[in-house]
Amino acid sequence: MTVARGEGENRAMRWVGRSVLSVVPVVVGVMLCVFLLLRIVPGDPAAMILGDQATEASILALRQRLGLDLPLGQQLANWLVAVFTRGDVGTSLVTSQPVLGLVASRAGVTAALVGLSVGFTILIAVPLAMLAATHAGGPVDHLVRVVPTVGMAMPAFWVGLLLVLVFGVQLHWLPVGGIGTGPGEPLRSLVLPALTVALGMSPPLIRSLREQLLEVLDADFVVTLRAARLPEWRIQFGHVLRNAAVPTVSLLGLNVAYLIGGTLVIEKVFAINGLGALLFSSISSRDFPVVQGIALVLALAVVVISLVTDALVAVLDPRIRTA
């Protein structure tokens, strides 16, 4: 027993080590792409900071102070050395604040929005998929498959505006925008944007989970469990759902990874000052360090989500753990 446990722990440590090593090239690649693409786009950050009335001499002096006059390769080398040796992502060219401080001040709102969106997505997708699978071919099944698909075809900003009009303007149940500061207000402020995201993420998950549930419901072990007179709810949630959830968990992980980098539209619609809004303003002002810092943080977040998804799949599917 001790030997088997030790071997299992060693296998888990090897899996973690391989996973961490495999994401290093991804993060470095994202950093290089962001660094190079930002400098290809026309525009001079020094000129934008000083304004239209600035002289050539003042612009040149600012470029020298910011290190923008150095060769591109030297700028890249200096930035990579600072990131990997000191954890210094840089300083904002516009506000002169540390980039990590700016990102940290906005990351909590975006993380809360993503987390609440995932929670709403699961609450919507799992019951509807199980309802459709247990009534396969009937009116309920067709209704569950058609209505979410129609919702997915609607643009996210339009769905958000509809929710604002109904629940914010007409019913006055929830805030229409911004982040409140009173007790419970921050959470209430994120309900509508998170619901908007969930309505867009749910349809493919419902379709995927429904198909997998239908396959599992036809399996022999389900017949055996019912013959053993196990409660139906225990069969559905303890055995059928667990066996059917693996592909859907992988799909959910991909959607969450996409959502992390795509919150700009939702944050704009609901006037949320998260990472999306900071990224938009930094791109507009050509604030290289802030854009690079946000891209690095988002890349790391996507990598973490991918690792968590792989771990959940391994927990749900014993064959993956054995392999």
Side-chain angles (χ1 to χ4, degrees):
M1 180 69 69
T2 304
V3 175
R5 182 181 302 172
E7 179 63 25
E9 293 177 353
N10 291 334
R11 188 183 299 116
M13 292 301 296
R14 288 196 297 269
W15 178 84
V16 172
R18 287 195 302 268
S19 300
V20 172
L21 289 177
S22 66
V23 303
V24 172
V26 177
V27 176
V28 174
V30 171
M31 294 169 65
L32 292 176
C33 290
V34 172
F35 183 90
L36 296 174
L37 288 175
L38 284 173
R39 283 155 178 79
I40 294 175
V41 178
D44 188 350
M48 291 185 177
I49 293 172
L50 295 176
D52 297 334
Q53 306 301 321
T55 63
E56 289 293 335
S58 61
I59 293 176
L60 179 60
L62 182 59
R63 285 179 57 83
Q64 292 175 346
R65 183 168 65 84
L66 298 176
L68 299 176
D69 61 326
L70 298 175
L72 188 61
Q74 187 173 350
Q75 292 185 45
L76 175 60
N78 292 342
W79 183 58
L80 291 177
V81 169
V83 171
F84 287 109
T85 60
R86 305 191 303 271
D88 182 12
V89 181
T91 303
S92 171
L93 302 181
V94 177
T95 64
S96 299
Q97 293 178 274
V99 171
L100 288 181
L102 285 174
V103 174
S105 66
R106 305 288 190 94
V109 176
T110 300
L113 174 59
V114 172
L116 194 58
S117 301
V118 172
F120 282 158
T121 300
I122 294 173
L123 291 176
I124 294 172
V126 173
L128 290 181
M130 296 189 70
L131 185 63
T134 53
H135 296 80
V140 174
D141 182 22
H142 293 297
L143 186 65
V144 169
R145 283 189 291 171
V146 170
V147 174
T149 304
V150 174
M152 185 177 62
M154 300 178 184
F157 70 88
W158 189 74
V159 174
L161 292 176
L162 285 181
L163 293 178
V164 167
L165 289 175
V166 174
F167 295 102
V169 177
Q170 299 294 331
L171 299 177
H172 302 287
W173 288 356
L174 296 166
V176 298
I179 299 295
T181 57
E185 285 301 310
L187 181 61
R188 292 182 68 247
S189 302
L190 292 176
V191 170
L192 288 183
L195 185 58
T196 302
V197 174
L199 291 176
M201 289 176 58
S202 298
L205 298 178
I206 294 173
R207 188 182 304 112
S208 172
L209 184 57
R210 173 189 174 276
E211 296 298 327
Q212 297 301 318
L213 286 170
L214 289 176
E215 291 184 11
V216 176
L217 285 171
D218 291 335
D220 294 335
F221 79 90
V222 176
V223 178
T224 304
L225 291 174
R226 285 173 174 163
R229 298 184 181 278
L230 262 69
E232 186 65 23
W233 66 267
R234 186 175 177 182
I235 296 175
Q236 295 287 344
F237 289 94
H239 299 276
V240 175
L241 182 59
R242 177 169 181 169
N243 283 273
V246 173
T248 306
V249 169
S250 300
L251 182 59
L252 177 61
L254 292 175
N255 278 275
V256 173
Y258 172 78
L259 171 63
I260 289 176
T263 58
L264 176 59
V265 174
I266 299 300
E267 291 184 2
K268 277 293 182 182
V269 171
F270 291 93
I272 298 174
N273 289 324
L275 286 180
L278 179 61
L279 179 62
F280 180 81
S281 61
S282 300
I283 292 175
S284 301
S285 60
R286 304 280 292 165
D287 197 344
F288 292 151
V290 176
V291 177
Q292 291 167 175
I294 294 174
L296 178 59
V297 170
L298 294 182
L300 291 174
V302 170
V303 167
V304 170
I305 291 297
S306 300
L307 292 177
V308 171
T309 302
D310 292 342
L312 288 176
V313 170
V315 170
L316 291 173
D317 193 342
R319 295 171 297 181
I320 296 178
R321 295 201 302 271
T322 304

